[in-house]
Amino acid sequence: MDALSPENLYPYTVSRPIYSNPTFEEDNERQAREERTLRERLSLFPVIDWLSRYPIREWLPSDVISGVSTGLVCSLQGLAYAMLVSVAPVYGLYSAFFPILTYFLLGTSRHISVGPFPVTCLMVGSVVLTLAPDDHFLLPGNGTGVNGTKADGIVVDVEAMEAQRIMVASSMTVLVGLFQVVMGVLQVGFLVRYLSDPLVGGFTTAAAFHVLISQLKIVLSVPTNNHSGCFSILYMLIDVFTNIRQTNIADLVAGLLTIVIVMAVKEVNTKFRHTIPVPIPIEVIVTVVATGISYATELESRYGASIVHSIPRGFAPAQPPNIELLWNILGSSFSTAVVGYAVAVSVAKVYAAKHDYTINGNQELIAFGFSNVFCGCFSGFVASTALSRTAVQESTGGKSQMAGIISAVMVMIVILALGHLLEPLQKSVLAAIVIANLKGMFMQVTEVPTLWRQNRADCFIWLATCLASVVLGLDVGLLAGLVFEMGTVVVRTQFPACSTLGNIPEMDARKKFPGIKIFKCNSPIYFANIDYFKERLRATVGFDSVRVFKKRNKALKKIHKLIKKGKLRATESPFNSLHSFSFGFESERDSGREYGQVEDGDWPVPEVEVRVDWAMELPVRVSVPKVQIHSLVLDFSAVSFLDVVAVKSLRLVGRTLLLVPSI
């Protein structure tokens, strides 16, 4: 029987010319970079572009209605969210006013409502309570001082405490803005992509728990100590239940009624959003009614209810940040900057996709950065956006940031003229408004079963981030969640999905060509997963090439000795393997020694000229593994990169496979 010719043995041909860089440039002419126009150079101010094309007749009436509605909601949420920062309510109004002005000039989203956001407010409040706790402002006294409050013969200097706390909050806001501006200028907005949806979902749900517990003490009106950091929720709950008997019934009833009414009406707004032209401004209605009841019945003097007290008219003078504080809040400020931007850009993308326009991520960083710097210089705290407030602006017909400017005018009216009318308002009502607006964040828990069915790694990211943020605090919890997320990425790429491919003809069956293996890897190959890759490749081909080579060489040596002694004579047969080695690689012997794969004694002797059919039974007692393939195709279409370790290992894999001729 004649030996099979190479054409019959390998019935396929792959011929592909080399596509070099010069050849590519010949076929594809390099395009000259276009010079940007003056308008494009002024893209830092997107308002110049869209305001010149603003359709006044079509959009202005809708923007006015939307701006008035959103402005009322902004005012009330500003008052409420100020308590999360542990500062006076008036500073919440400043935070609802100043950021809108700069975002109007620099922002690219037409629909988001810029202002306080519960999560970032709570992160700022955690830093405020850490650097300016009540204990730092205790003074001895008889409890009758004008500037203090009595607590067992100890007077708290309220004015000094308020001044220090707003200094911490505003200084942190300026630093957050600087971080965002620098990130925008360096165009590193892509870093926010590392905050995946499961991570953000788990983090914001944990933040909702923190907000709920922090507002629970205000609804109950019980005294508690200031807690922040690890296990702060546990300590806060212990304080609340320890002093639960001191609950003020008037504040509790007002808070519970507010929660029930606000949530019920919001459900009505959601259910009938297509039939109601404008959502019912339930927060405004509840606030006005509660203020009137508190004023008429004198809840503070009769029942000891805790009220807002003072909302001074006008704006606070501009003041620079405290430079000495900045070094103590670098880490917290950076995490707050990232969270605030991530939430805002996520909401902006939702409405941009809905209304068919695009936003610029890096420009959004610059816009929010300057907004926070500007806001911090006027005694405000960190601005982002809230989904509920943005939904009001969009659902009431808002078409552009002109609605945002009108909402800022409404907030300014409250600051300059109407704020003092809200002084009798109970704080428990504001806390209840905050709690009622947490429903959307708590409903994210329903995503967990879906994540478990779709991707368990993402489900674990959600759960780990949420648990870490609840137990360790928001700053440390976010970092822990990010580390866990990166760990899952490493694990998933360290054990990549590998498969053996074949041809799928018209019938629903997979056909594999005999003697050919097509091996596909679906991830990058690098130092962490190269050993796993080689194990899967070895399992696919069905043999260890180094072991086969050693066994074959051992058998050849014994056969050669038998032939020399005359105990064995070669016969003519179809020979599939010729052991005369000539490779196209440099220093195969050195490479084998370097990786410990082949020893000196295992390399074949050049003068051995014995042909063996390894598929037949051998005349010597050596167990040689069978090799069932003659070709191996590596499909790297899904491999995005190889590192140096992977390249060296793959070269060695190729060399060791060449040591084993085909069947």
Side-chain angles (χ1 to χ4, degrees), residues 199-272:
L199 185 143
V200 173
F203 176 77
T204 52
T205 304
F209 278 105
H210 280 276
V211 173
L212 174 64
I213 300 303
S214 69
Q215 298 305 289
L216 182 62
K217 65 177 182 179
I218 300 176
V219 172
L220 297 175
S221 192
V222 295
T224 60
N225 296 319
N226 297 324
H227 302 288
S228 61
C230 299
F231 304 104
S232 59
I233 283 185
L234 178 61
Y235 297 142
M236 183 67 71
L237 286 175
I238 292 175
D239 287 350
V240 168
F241 287 106
T242 300
N243 301 316
I244 194 70
R245 293 183 179 179
Q246 302 181 39
T247 299
N248 186 286
I249 300 301
D251 286 335
L252 177 60
V253 171
L256 292 178
L257 285 176
T258 301
I259 293 174
V260 172
I261 294 173
V262 170
M263 294 186 67
V265 176
K266 281 183 174 290
E267 285 296 320
V268 173
N269 286 338
T270 302
K271 186 174 182 179
F272 298 100

Side-chain angles (χ1 to χ4, degrees), residues 319-330:
Q319 58 178 352
N322 189 332
I323 304 300
E324 296 178 357
L325 291 174
L326 300 184
W327 299 105
N328 299 324
I329 56 178
L330 283 175

Side-chain angles (χ1 to χ4, degrees), residues 537 541 543-546 583 629 632 634 650-662:
L537 180 62
V541 299
F543 61 88
D544 184 341
S545 58
V546 174
F583 304 123
I629 68 171
L632 174 65
L634 298 179
L650 289 175
R651 290 183 64 188
L652 181 61
V653 167
R655 292 170 182 171
T656 54
L657 287 174
L658 286 174
L659 295 176
V660 182
S662 57

Side-chain angles (χ1 to χ4, degrees), residues 449-469:
T450 303
L451 286 174
W452 180 261
R453 293 190 298 268
Q454 294 178 346
N455 192 312
R456 293 189 177 182
D458 288 340
C459 183
F460 287 134
I461 292 173
W462 197 104
L463 294 173
T465 304
C466 183
L467 182 62
S469 299

Side-chain angles (χ1 to χ4, degrees), residues 283-294:
E283 291 99 336
V284 178
I285 297 174
V286 167
T287 302
V288 172
V289 173
T291 303
I293 294 174
S294 177

